[in-house]
Amino acid sequence: MSSEEFKQGATQNRGQPDARGAARLPPTRQESEAAAADRAAHQEARERRDAQVRGVTSIAAMRDAIKATARSLPAITSVPRIGPLDPAAFRERASLGLPFLMTGIVDRWPLAALTVQTLRDHYSDLPVRARVGDYVNTAFAPDRAMRDMRLLEYLDLVAAGTPGLPPYLGNLEMRELNRLCHWPAFFDKIGPPRFWLGPAGTVTPLHCDYDDNVFAQIWGTKRIMLVPPHHDAWLYPNEANAILFGSPFDPEAPDYERFPLARQATVIECIVGPGDMLYVPAGWYHQVRSLTFSLSSNRWARAIPFSVRGDASLRAAPPVPL
């Protein structure tokens, strides 16, 4: 229902009893303002917590610094593929603010040697939450369709095939698999591993996270489309929260009539295969599509992004001891 239809219906039904005999009235202005104030307070509190975790003065200042730094980056047309790096070498390269792909790390993990049948045999009862329906166009909506099930039910559902977008296990903690992944100590502070499992055709639409990200491709192949942070003005971004922004533009099927500014955005295609680990710097937009049945995992840093660590103005003062 459109907002105009809602308003008309509210006017027509003003003062009319509902099925329970009570008068149906639209929300009062005071109630709406109170709800808006409550949301704003909740958002402000979350941003303060996010800034405190990352040790920055504010998330907004961090976002601005990332985009300002990106404007001085050299233009790239592809993502370089290199061998494994130790933590010191990784951090030095990550400070340049450009994505890169490492080999020789993920393929050594025990999880990389397992198969889908292993999941069926040993992890069938694992509870999971699948993205179902049109989870691309509702990707950043609070009420997108999800379905709880066991891992075996999900694998059977995928094997049977479904019309439209295939169901997707995305951004899940699957702690039972953590011991089978040996993550390098690239970051001082980092979030838990998140897993992504699904067949060809699963998609995470274009978005950016304002945290550094390492993405491990364990099984299968994916296409990742990347756009630099300072090109966000051409991507029609929508804020999901202070560190997550989505874009309605599809770089794999660009519609320049709807999104004419997107012609100016640089889009870089990166194919990740089994054993690849991709570093996605904070603020870089990315869209991810499975080209085959895939298992991936990623971790987000929870600190000042490498590209702006030299900006002293971003660092929050340490708390004063009582």
Side-chain angles (χ1 to χ4, degrees):
M1 178 183 290
S2 69
S3 59
E4 189 60 34
E5 290 170 335
F6 177 85
K7 293 175 183 176
Q8 292 173 358
T11 302
Q12 293 167 357
N13 293 319
R14 185 183 299 273
Q16 298 299 316
D18 64 11
R20 295 167 296 181
R24 289 191 297 176
L25 295 173
T28 64
R29 180 172 181 177
Q30 289 79 11
E31 289 172 336
S32 298
E33 290 177 348
D38 183 65
R39 285 194 299 272
H42 178 77
Q43 179 178 351
E44 183 178 352
R46 174 172 178 168
E47 289 189 27
R48 285 198 303 269
R49 290 194 302 269
D50 286 341
Q52 185 178 27
V53 167
R54 290 157 182 81
V56 296
T57 53
S58 76
I59 297 298
M62 184 180 77
R63 292 197 311 260
D64 290 344
I66 288 170
K67 287 186 279 189
T69 299
R71 292 186 180 95
S72 63
L73 292 175
I76 61 172
T77 58
S78 62
V79 175
R81 177 181 291 264
I82 59 177
L85 299 176
D86 62 34
F90 174 90
R91 295 175 188 185
E92 181 178 1
R93 180 146 194 158
S95 68
L96 302 177
L98 293 168
F100 56 89
L101 188 151
M102 293 172 288
T103 61
I105 297 176
V106 180
D107 49 8
R108 300 177 183 177
W109 291 0
L111 185 55
L114 303 187
T115 64
V116 175
Q117 189 60 45
T118 308
L119 296 183
R120 288 180 170 274
D121 293 341
H122 298 285
Y123 300 97
S124 59
D125 288 334
L126 190 67
V128 296
R129 174 165 291 181
R131 300 176 180 185
V132 295
D134 184 5
Y135 52 81
V136 170
N137 289 316
T138 60
F140 308 106
D143 58 347
R144 71 176 171 189
M146 308 288 278
R147 180 175 161 188
D148 292 326
M149 60 184 74
R150 299 290 177 179
L151 181 57
L152 181 59
E153 181 183 353
Y154 173 76
L155 294 174
D156 286 343
L157 186 65
V158 167
T162 56
L165 281 169
Y168 193 18
L169 301 187
N171 199 12
L172 296 185
E173 286 193 52
M174 300 171 72
R175 296 175 183 174
E176 292 81 355
L177 303 183
N178 287 353
R179 64 182 179 83
L180 303 175
C181 304
H182 300 160
W183 292 91
F186 290 148
F187 304 109
D188 296 328
K189 294 172 65 177
I190 193 168
R194 316 294 290 196
F195 289 90
W196 309 76
L197 178 69
T202 57
V203 181
T204 300
L206 193 63
H207 69 286
C208 81
D209 313 284
Y210 280 96
D211 283 317
D212 287 331
N213 180 11
V214 281
F215 178 91
Q217 185 65 12
I218 302 167
W219 306 337
T221 303
K222 288 185 172 178
R223 176 192 296 123
I224 301 181
M225 313 298 286
L226 296 158
V227 182
H230 58 302
H231 290 193
D232 67 330
W234 303 323
L235 297 177
Y236 306 83
N238 297 304
E239 180 176 348
N241 58 58
I243 57 173
L244 173 63
F245 284 71
S247 169
F249 176 67
D250 181 355
E252 294 180 289
D255 185 346
Y256 294 122
E257 290 189 4
R258 288 183 61 201
F259 307 110
L261 295 178
R263 291 182 183 275
Q264 303 175 69
T266 296
V267 178
I268 303 160
E269 180 182 20
C270 178
I271 302 296
V272 294
D276 290 341
M277 179 175 281
L278 177 68
Y279 170 62
V280 182
W284 277 72
Y285 278 79
H286 48 289
Q287 178 163 300
V288 184
R289 177 182 296 274
S290 296
L291 301 179
T292 67
F293 191 95
S294 292
L295 173 63
S296 313
S297 184
N298 83 295
R299 300 184 77 173
W300 286 286
R302 295 293 183 258
I304 299 179
F306 285 119
S307 66
V308 292
R309 286 197 175 184
D311 188 342
S313 67
L314 282 180
R315 295 188 176 272
V320 178
L322 299 177

